[in-house]
Amino acid sequence: MTEQNDQLQAMRHTLAHVMAAAVQHLWPGAKFGVGPAVVDGFYYDIDLGETKISEEDFPKIEAEMRKIIGENQPMQQSMKPVDEAIAWAQQARQPYKEELLNDLKRSGTTAAKDLDPSELGTIAEGEAQVSEVSFYTNGDFTDLCRGPHIESTGKVGPFKLMRVAGAYWRGNEKNAQMQRLYGVAFNTEAELANHLEMLEEAKKRDHRKLGQELDLFVISDLVGSGLPLFTPRGTIMRDALLGFSEELQRNAGYEKVFIPHITKQVLYERSGHWDKFGDELFLVKSQETSDQFVLKPMNCPHHTQIYAARPRSYKELPIRYMESTVQYRDEKKGELNGLSRVRSISIDDAHVFCTLEQIEAEFTTIMSMIRDMYSVFDMKFKARLSFRDDSEGYLGDPKDWEKAQATIEAVAKELELEYFIEEGEAAFYGPKIDIMVTDALGREWQCATEQLDFVQPARFGLTYTDADGSEKQPVMIHKALLGSVERFLSVYIEHTAGRFPVWLAPEQIRVITVNQEKATTDFADKLGMRAKELGLRLNVDNSNESVGKKIRAAEVAKVPYTIVVGEKEIASGEVVPRIRSDMTVMEIPMTLGLEEFLKTVHNEAKSRVLKTSL
RNA sequence: GCCACCUUAGCUCAGUUGGCUAGAGCACCACUUUCGUAAAGUGGGGGUCCGGGGUUCGAAUCCCCGAGGUGGCUCCA
């Protein structure tokens, strides 16, 4: 398995060389950066000076690549001493390679292991000196390269150039910008076709497209990018999601609070966020006072002030505040994207104030809520335990950290979560568990999170009086089940392709009238009234269109249940519900009485049962 | 922010090497029809061709500036 994978990556890597060779043939002055194999394919960073490659050039590049592949050039490895290699880079006018080699020489490490530029400069002194570095040659193209490669260019699999994008040399925006040419490659034509199909499917499911088609949200130039406006249908979904989250929390002893969306700057100076978040804060100017105000980018500092309002006893703990609220972050424009990256972030936030001893129980409760929630969504997840590493910049007592990290891992084990530990991913104020959710297309997203915080209780001087009368400092836990509602919706829309389960569907039942006779219209209206009493979302389509067309409209709108009413239904009082095609679990009989039908749908919505197959 | 590409009706898109009052389908409105499980018929309204400037006898089309959007700037020779 792994061996096969290594072989595949070697093949992709070889294609990167083939592409670079092709580019060098077409643009002889090309300077090359790095060109690795990546997930699904390969890329190469190229500096062509003033010349810009566009997608129109792809056929030309691909044709040249095919020529090189057709010649079945062997991939020959050779070794050169470092100084000789540097001389080669100078002579070949490859300044980026020269820089890598110089770094390599300076850092002084072994050739086999450490040609990885990301590690250059961080390697401990005293390791073996670099003696030789590795090159690969195919045809007239020679490149500094550790390998591995497949034996010859004729052995590569089917590939396709995908796009060209800007990329900074070594990922640093202060460095020169290069052109990154991306391609995908697989072992077989079928796999390549499959991959391209997957991309098509992802495009079809794009939440920005579905959001418009299903009338869920809009973005207005006048309001601003990254500031989505939710339509009535989209708002129903938001409310349903947040209602679900709040229900879980209320059952777990969380109490709802409410805070304003702005605050004086000093609050964040105290919390430590001012330095940390600086340029991401929206500033608010008061015309009445000289205080500097800001739009809240998070809610914890506000919540600490509710806790801090009066003396607390150990008997009160844990205190659990929850609030579904909006926070604002001034994200860079290029990072905004539909609902998945926004500037107004709705979040089902909560903060727990508790003793060190209570951490385990609280973490367990939160993880159980997360598990319950995502099983309703039918989404698998992995837990990433984000711990500290040895670097500076983490606040709080290392002993507390150690203890807390051990507790977190114990919780993950006890709940039998699929988890992995990532050192260096912790927040500066404490370790955390991030939930990585996998969607129907196999993509991973970070949604829920729970984080431990030693720092803010200290900074805000939070205390409680313990049983022995001594003053102690509580620990704070941050948690979100959905995370950003916008982000979650973007993931969930794409996960379900817009085919929402009944409890979330903006419109649960559509009634289609066969004609516009008064008896039919009255009957439909009566149905609507009864549905309203049951809290169901039912719309009547009484437009003067053919039944076929109205069915189609309901189908396109992805309404779970559609019923057609005419003389037959009026006479019998029974309906034959039309069930959205993806809802395969048929719990509803073919024919049933109206009241029975409405009650069935009502129960389905209430229990949040999942009947769709994704 | 930077690079590439894109922007024509509410939506999806045509629009040739610059050349008549800028088109289609869907949606919308009106009328006809009163219809039984994925699109009835006829007619109508709807455009600052993203904005600004330039080239030209003439610009949706070519050039420059700006705005908005999409992909990328994470995977490490």
Side-chain angles (χ1 to χ4, degrees):
Chain A
M1 185 69 197
T2 330
E3 225 165 86
Q4 276 172 21
N5 196 46
D6 288 350
Q7 181 70 16
L8 178 60
Q9 290 309 102
M11 182 275 278
R12 287 170 174 156
H13 191 175
T14 301
L15 268 167
H17 280 238
V18 171
M19 181 170 72
V23 167
Q24 195 170 56
H25 293 167
L26 296 166
W27 293 277
K31 299 180 177 70
F32 297 97
V34 300
V38 293
V39 174
D40 299 328
F42 57 92
Y43 70 76
Y44 220 115
D45 283 348
I46 301 159
D47 183 352
L48 289 178
E50 294 297 299
T51 311
K52 302 291 175 215
I53 296 178
S54 81
E55 289 181 21
E56 285 165 25
D57 297 318
F58 287 2
K60 203 164 61 182
I61 301 170
E62 286 177 345
E64 186 62 27
M65 288 173 72
R66 294 224 161 73
K67 214 173 103 192
I68 295 166
I69 292 164
E71 289 168 10
N72 196 18
Q73 303 165 348
M75 298 296 297
Q76 285 167 322
Q77 188 175 21
S78 56
M79 303 301 288
K80 282 196 215 316
V82 178
D83 288 320
E84 210 175 292
I86 291 172
W88 166 84
Q90 283 168 347
Q91 197 206 340
R93 303 226 172 102
Q94 291 297 343
Y96 300 102
K97 305 288 183 190
E98 190 184 336
E99 187 182 324
L100 290 178
L101 285 163
N102 280 324
D103 280 1
L104 186 62
K105 188 181 173 187
R106 207 170 324 123
S107 69
T109 59
T110 58
K113 173 171 169 263
D114 293 311
L115 286 163
D116 177 346
S118 67
E119 291 178 12
L120 295 177
T122 62
I123 292 150
E125 283 176 29
E127 287 193 20
Q129 283 294 308
V130 175
S131 51
E132 292 188 311
V133 291
S134 153
F135 283 78
Y136 273 87
T137 302
N138 62 289
D140 58 358
F141 181 76
T142 295
D143 195 6
L144 171 66
C145 177
R146 169 179 46 178
H149 284 284
I150 55 174
E151 56 195 83
S152 66
T153 60
K155 302 246 162 100
V156 299
F159 70 96
K160 186 175 191 300
L161 296 192
M162 296 302 283
R163 62 181 80 91
V164 58
Y168 297 103
W169 170 235
R170 294 185 147 178
N172 186 336
E173 62 185 328
K174 291 197 179 71
N175 289 340
Q177 181 142 26
M178 312 182 72
Q179 300 184 73
R180 179 168 293 180
L181 263 177
Y182 274 98
V184 292
F186 293 88
N187 284 325
T188 63
E189 290 287 353
E191 284 170 283
L192 178 62
N194 188 38
H195 176 76
L196 297 176
E197 230 166 79
M198 187 73 143
L199 291 179
E200 275 307 303
E201 180 61 27
K203 224 177 182 178
K204 264 189 242 160
R205 287 173 180 239
D206 189 319
H207 75 275
R208 292 165 300 196
K209 180 168 169 281
L210 285 169
Q212 182 189 290
E213 284 171 10
L214 299 175
D215 188 25
L216 301 176
F217 65 93
V218 296
I219 290 170
S220 155
D221 284 355
L222 288 179
V223 175
S225 51
L227 300 168
L229 312 172
F230 287 85
T231 63
R233 282 174 178 263
T235 305
I236 287 169
M237 294 192 70
R238 282 177 58 104
D239 287 351
L241 288 169
L242 289 170
F244 182 28
S245 171
E246 286 176 14
E247 183 185 310
L248 288 169
Q249 294 178 71
R250 210 172 289 118
N251 292 342
Y254 286 65
E255 299 173 288
K256 208 164 172 177
V257 294
F258 180 88
I259 58 172
H261 289 200
I262 63 172
T263 173
K264 291 199 287 186
Q265 171 185 332
V266 292
L267 182 71
Y268 297 127
E269 285 171 356
R270 182 73 67 83
S271 70
H273 289 109
W274 182 260
D275 291 335
K276 210 85 190 163
F277 270 83
D279 55 354
E280 267 189 46
L281 295 175
F282 281 108
L283 304 179
V284 178
K285 192 171 161 50
S286 166
Q287 300 187 66
E288 292 294 329
T289 77
S290 58
D291 287 327
Q292 174 67 58
F293 286 83
V294 294
L295 220 35
K296 67 179 164 81
M298 78 279 300
N299 310 303
C300 25
H302 278 87
H303 285 176
T304 64
Q305 296 312 291
I306 302 176
Y307 178 95
R310 60 178 172 80
R312 302 288 177 179
S313 152
Y314 73 98
K315 293 175 193 164
E316 287 181 84
L317 303 184
I319 288 175
R320 309 179 186 94
Y321 296 145
M322 69 155 155
E323 180 174 9
S324 302
T325 181
V326 184
Q327 57 197 33
Y328 303 86
R329 294 185 184 180
D330 196 0
E331 303 281 356
K332 286 183 187 172
K333 237 180 66 189
E335 291 176 344
L336 299 172
N337 176 309
L339 288 184
S340 53
R341 197 79 183 265
V342 293
R343 297 203 267 210
S344 55
I345 306 156
S346 310
I347 163 166
D348 58 334
D349 209 358
H351 297 100
V352 177
F353 303 88
C354 65
T355 68
L356 271 172
E357 292 69 39
Q358 291 168 331
I359 292 174
E360 184 165 357
E362 291 306 306
F363 254 67
T364 305
T365 307
I366 295 167
M367 273 316 309
S368 315
M369 288 194 280
I370 290 170
R371 209 167 46 177
D372 291 350
M373 174 171 257
Y374 287 88
S375 79
V376 165
F377 293 133
D378 193 28
M379 297 176 94
K380 289 197 171 60
F381 66 83
K382 276 185 283 197
R384 181 179 71 196
L385 312 190
S386 302
F387 292 169
R388 64 177 293 169
D389 52 23
D390 292 333
S391 65
E392 309 273 307
Y394 296 103
L395 305 181
D397 185 345
K399 267 188 288 181
D400 287 345
W401 275 82
E402 214 168 284
K403 204 163 140 195
Q405 292 183 171
T407 307
I408 287 173
E409 192 168 358
V411 170
K413 274 201 182 118
E414 195 183 301
L415 291 174
E416 294 177 351
L417 298 179
E418 190 184 330
Y419 73 93
F420 60 98
I421 292 170
E422 197 118 306
E423 286 182 3
E425 276 292 320
F428 70 93
Y429 47 71
K432 54 180 183 169
I433 301 185
D434 293 315
I435 301 302
M436 314 301 291
V437 176
T438 307
D439 74 12
L441 296 180
R443 299 169 300 185
E444 281 196 356
W445 305 87
Q446 195 211 308
C447 292
T449 180
E450 55 179 320
Q451 317 181 354
L452 212 51
D453 188 345
F454 305 116
V455 174
Q456 287 194 61
R459 288 195 164 235
F460 285 110
L462 305 184
T463 57
Y464 65 92
T465 308
D466 209 349
D468 59 6
S470 65
E471 286 234 312
K472 291 209 171 127
Q473 196 180 90
V475 176
M476 198 170 163
I477 300 172
H478 309 247
K479 85 104 207 49
L481 305 181
L482 293 163
S484 153
V485 177
E486 286 80 11
R487 155 75 59 82
F488 179 79
L489 261 174
S490 76
V491 173
Y492 193 67
I493 289 169
E494 298 185 5
H495 179 64
T496 58
R499 298 183 288 250
F500 306 123
V502 170
W503 72 277
L504 272 174
E507 183 179 352
Q508 297 163 322
I509 304 170
R510 184 169 297 186
V511 175
I512 289 172
T513 54
V514 170
N515 56 46
Q516 283 71 57
E517 309 284 349
K518 187 164 187 311
T520 317
T521 309
D522 285 352
F523 187 78
D525 286 346
K526 225 165 63 191
L527 241 162
M529 301 273 279
R530 180 63 188 135
K532 202 177 263 174
E533 282 170 15
L534 288 168
L536 288 171
R537 302 184 285 268
L538 177 149
N539 289 327
V540 176
D541 184 353
N542 190 33
S543 60
N544 179 12
E545 296 289 351
S546 68
V547 171
K549 188 165 179 173
K550 292 199 275 190
I551 295 272
R552 183 180 148 78
E555 201 70 49
V556 167
K558 300 183 163 71
V559 179
Y561 294 107
T562 304
I563 56 179
V564 177
V565 300
E567 281 169 30
K568 260 192 319 199
E569 287 74 19
I570 298 173
S572 69
E574 293 191 321
V575 292
V576 184
R578 189 178 212 280
I579 302 168
R580 197 180 59 204
S581 57
D582 60 288
M583 303 202 303
T584 51
V585 185
M586 306 281 275
E587 281 166 12
I588 292 192
M590 294 297 284
T591 302
L592 74 176
L594 277 172
E595 181 67 14
E596 198 190 342
F597 168 68
L598 292 177
K599 284 233 167 96
T600 306
V601 180
H602 176 246
N603 287 334
E604 192 181 321
K606 219 172 94 181
S607 61
R608 300 197 177 93
V609 60
L610 182 88
K611 291 169 76 177
T612 68
S613 60
L614 299 169

